[in-house]
Amino acid sequence: VDVGSNAGRFLYLAERSGFNSVGVEPSKPLAKIGVENFNLNIKNCKLEDSDFLPSSIDIITAIDVFEHLINPKNFLDKSHEILKDDGILVIKVLFVLF
C-alpha cells in the first residue's frame, strides 16, 4: 500500500516491478488521474478510513506524508492493524531547514 500515492508515479513503478500494489490518496482529482490514465488501483481516502482487512498487508509506504498528518497516532494504529506480523512500514519525512 502506497499512502499519499498522488497520481501514482511510485505505484506505477511498483506495479511494473511485479508488486500487487494499491494506492491511498485523499485528493479525488489526483486519485482519478492514476485510475483513469494509468489504470492503477487507487482508493480515494485516507489510510485511517480505508477498508483493508486486519493483518492483510505486507508493506506500507508513506513517502513525504507523515509530516502532513493531523493525527499521526491514528495513522500508526491503522498501519499496525492492517500490517501482517512481519509487515514493514516505510516512512520518509521531508525535512526542511529555514
Side-chain angles (χ1 to χ4, degrees):
V1 173
D2 182 39
V3 179
S5 59
N6 203 291
R9 178 180 290 171
F10 183 75
L11 198 60
Y12 178 85
L13 293 173
E15 283 284 320
R16 296 319 173 260
S17 297
F19 289 93
N20 181 12
S21 305
V22 178
V24 174
E25 174 54 54
S27 167
K28 188 173 186 173
L30 289 173
K32 186 176 178 181
I33 291 169
V35 171
E36 291 182 359
N37 295 350
F38 303 105
N39 198 32
L40 297 171
N41 183 2
I42 301 177
K43 296 174 179 274
N44 179 219
C45 63
K46 295 189 279 183
L47 181 69
E48 298 91 299
D49 301 326
S50 66
D51 59 357
F52 295 107
L53 297 175
S55 301
S56 64
I57 305 298
D58 293 306
I59 301 170
I60 298 172
T61 59
I63 301 169
D64 299 336
V65 168
F66 204 75
E67 63 270 24
H68 299 285
L69 298 175
I70 293 170
N71 190 334
K73 184 177 182 324
N74 289 348
F75 174 88
L76 293 172
D77 288 345
K78 183 67 172 192
S79 297
H80 183 261
E81 174 189 324
I82 65 175
L83 276 172
K84 294 179 180 177
D85 288 341
D86 60 347
I88 298 170
L89 173 60
V90 178
I91 298 174
K92 178 191 169 283
V93 178
L94 179 64
F95 181 73
V96 179
L97 292 174
F98 292 96

